[in-house]
């Protein structure tokens, strides 16, 4: 081989088709993998969608509803911190968990450790120029003030851009998690990982994800791997690997269409056209376990009618019914979650 011929190998920070992160797990270790939601990740990518809308056609319906109501000063500040592509500062998101709420995410940001935040801001300084770089450098030099200002901006932009659609967005995320969890239970981590995204695969005890500019081997044994579906970053995957953060893979949630942000009434109408208005209402309300009497009361129908609709939905595999003492509790199945998510 001619030594003068350069070998085309991935270079850190430079786009290359062979960049990949490998999350190494013990084969068959189901407990090492868990799912979470991340309101902070959704907000950060909502900002990026608003900065580069032409690249995110699935978000255009949402964009039309929120772009004229943004708090401009707060949005500009978050835009400077987040940028329109590439590295995302770690301090903006807490460790994703199943019960993570926007309020908890904001509380975590308000109390984020200052030294790691200063490091993150320094990385953004190196990735910016001009007035943005000067603003970021000032934040890095005055981190206590910057943390409070960024948190206030986070809340302003959240209230205007994502709070109105959080129920729809949260439902899509949890529908995705329900389906993935069922796949792990029935077919194993490998099949679940292979179905996450075309850039994600399972092999030799590792979840592998192709990225644009970064390669790394991450030993998750002992720490586990967090899988986080995303609606706003529907274009591809992102990895969080730097300690002390837990190894995390963000991937596009399934069922995201251009009409995902429509309101609950439109969703109920679309689902009602498929299963009937009464059953649609019962299925939409089945995100929390309810008794037959509660279903009847919530829908303003007779208990016998509620029981009939629940039987039809159960026979179709859309809800599950389990006895709790003298009560029978009804809850959506992963298939039911997927159907509700598809109707968004």
């Amino acid at each position: 081989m001619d030594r003068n011929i350069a070998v085309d190998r991935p270079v850190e920070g430079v786009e290359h088709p062979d960049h990949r992160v490998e999350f190494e797990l013990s084969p068959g270790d189901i407990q090492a993998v868990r799912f979470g939601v991340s309101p902070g990740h959704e907000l950060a990518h909502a900002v990026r969608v608003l900065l580069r809308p032409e690249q995110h056609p699935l978000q255009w319906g949402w964009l039309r509803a929120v772009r004229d109501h943004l708090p401009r000063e707060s949005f500009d500040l978050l835009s400077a911190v987040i940028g329109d592509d590439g590295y995302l500062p770690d301090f903006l998101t807490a460790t994703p968990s199943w019960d993570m709420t926007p309020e908890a995410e904001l509380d975590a940001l308000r109390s984020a450790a200052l030294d790691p935040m200063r490091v993150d801001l320094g990385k953004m300084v190196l990735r910016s120029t001009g007035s943005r770089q000067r603003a970021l450098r000032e934040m890095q030099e005055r981190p206590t003030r910057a943390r409070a200002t960024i948190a206030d901006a986070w809340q302003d932009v959240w209230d205007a851009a994502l709070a109105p659609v959080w129920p729809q967005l949260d439902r899509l995320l949890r529908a995705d998690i329900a389906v993935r969890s069922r796949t792990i239970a029935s077919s194993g981590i490998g099949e679940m990982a292979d179905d996450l995204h075309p850039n994600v695969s399972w092999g030799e005890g590792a979840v592998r994800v192709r990225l644009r500019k970064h390669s790394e081997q991450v030993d998750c044994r002992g720490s586990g791997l967090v899988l986080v579906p995303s609606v706003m970053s529907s274009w591809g995957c992102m990895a969080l690997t730097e300690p002390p953060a837990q190894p995390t893979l963000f991937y596009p949630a399934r069922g995201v269409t251009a009409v995902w942000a429509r309101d609950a009434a439109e969703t109920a109408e679309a689902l009602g056209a498929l299963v009937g208005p009464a059953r649609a209402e019962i299925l939409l309300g089945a995100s929390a376990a309810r008794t037959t009497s509660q279903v009847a009361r919530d829908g303003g129908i007779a208990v016998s009618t509620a029981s009939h609709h629940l039987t039809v939905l159960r026979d179709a595999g859309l809800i599950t019914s389990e006895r709790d003492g003298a009560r029978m509790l009804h809850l959506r199945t992963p298939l039911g979650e997927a159907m509700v998510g598809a109707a968004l």
Side-chain angles (χ1 to χ4, degrees), residues 14-302:
V14 179
E15 289 197 33
H16 192 285
D18 291 336
H19 272 304
R20 63 170 44 87
V21 170
E22 296 191 358
F23 295 100
E24 297 175 349
L25 296 161
S26 299
D29 188 2
I30 295 178
Q31 294 182 345
V33 176
R34 65 178 179 82
F35 290 90
V37 297
S38 176
H41 182 83
E42 295 304 301
L43 182 62
H45 283 278
V47 169
R48 290 184 168 180
V49 169
L50 287 158
L51 289 172
R52 304 175 75 173
E54 71 282 357
Q55 297 188 6
H56 305 278
L58 291 181
Q59 311 300 345
W60 287 352
W62 167 78
L63 276 165
R64 285 192 293 270
V66 305
R67 61 187 173 189
D68 295 331
H69 305 287
L70 293 172
R72 183 49 55 184
E73 186 175 344
S74 293
F75 178 75
D76 289 345
L77 188 149
L78 282 190
S79 299
V81 174
I82 293 169
D84 61 5
D85 191 26
Y87 173 75
L88 186 65
D90 294 344
F91 75 89
L92 289 171
T93 58
T95 300
S97 63
W98 173 256
D99 57 354
M100 177 63 70
T101 64
E103 294 78 14
E105 187 86 82
L106 181 57
D107 287 344
L109 176 57
R110 291 195 184 280
S111 60
L114 294 180
D115 286 342
M117 189 181 91
R118 192 182 290 112
V119 171
D120 287 349
L121 289 172
K123 294 177 181 179
M124 300 309 288
V125 167
L126 296 175
R127 291 167 168 81
S128 60
T129 58
S131 60
R132 181 190 174 206
Q133 187 179 65
R134 289 192 295 274
L136 287 167
R137 185 173 285 117
E138 183 178 346
M139 294 182 205
Q140 186 186 22
E141 293 170 353
R142 305 178 68 181
T144 302
R145 178 182 176 184
R147 181 178 61 185
T149 304
I150 292 169
D152 288 344
W154 193 104
Q155 183 163 27
D156 288 346
V157 176
W158 177 273
D159 289 344
L162 286 191
V165 296
W166 180 245
Q168 297 96 304
L169 196 154
D170 187 52
R171 189 180 297 128
L172 274 170
L173 299 178
R174 296 185 187 283
D176 180 278
I177 291 172
V179 173
R180 310 291 185 188
S181 299
R182 173 63 65 87
T183 301
I184 290 179
S186 62
S187 305
I189 292 176
E191 184 164 330
M192 181 278 298
D194 285 337
D195 189 49
L196 280 178
H197 187 269
N199 288 341
V200 180
S201 62
W202 169 265
E204 299 179 359
V207 175
R208 298 168 174 168
V209 53
R210 290 198 304 272
L211 298 179
R212 290 185 299 156
K213 300 180 180 181
H214 178 60
S215 292
E216 186 176 358
Q217 286 190 309
V218 184
D219 188 351
C220 299
R221 289 165 289 191
S223 62
L225 172 64
V226 185
L227 299 176
V228 185
S230 175
V231 171
M232 283 296 168
S233 59
S234 56
W235 53 268
C237 300
M238 290 188 68
L240 180 59
T241 64
E242 191 169 333
Q246 187 166 0
T248 304
L249 172 60
F250 299 92
Y251 64 91
R254 64 170 67 202
V256 179
T257 68
V259 296
W260 71 264
R262 62 185 173 185
D263 62 29
E266 291 179 296
T267 301
E269 183 178 350
L271 197 58
L274 180 64
V275 299
R279 291 169 191 162
E281 185 176 348
I282 292 172
L283 189 58
L284 284 170
S287 57
R290 297 181 296 172
T291 66
T292 305
S293 296
Q294 289 173 322
V295 170
R297 183 170 61 252
D298 292 344
I301 56 179

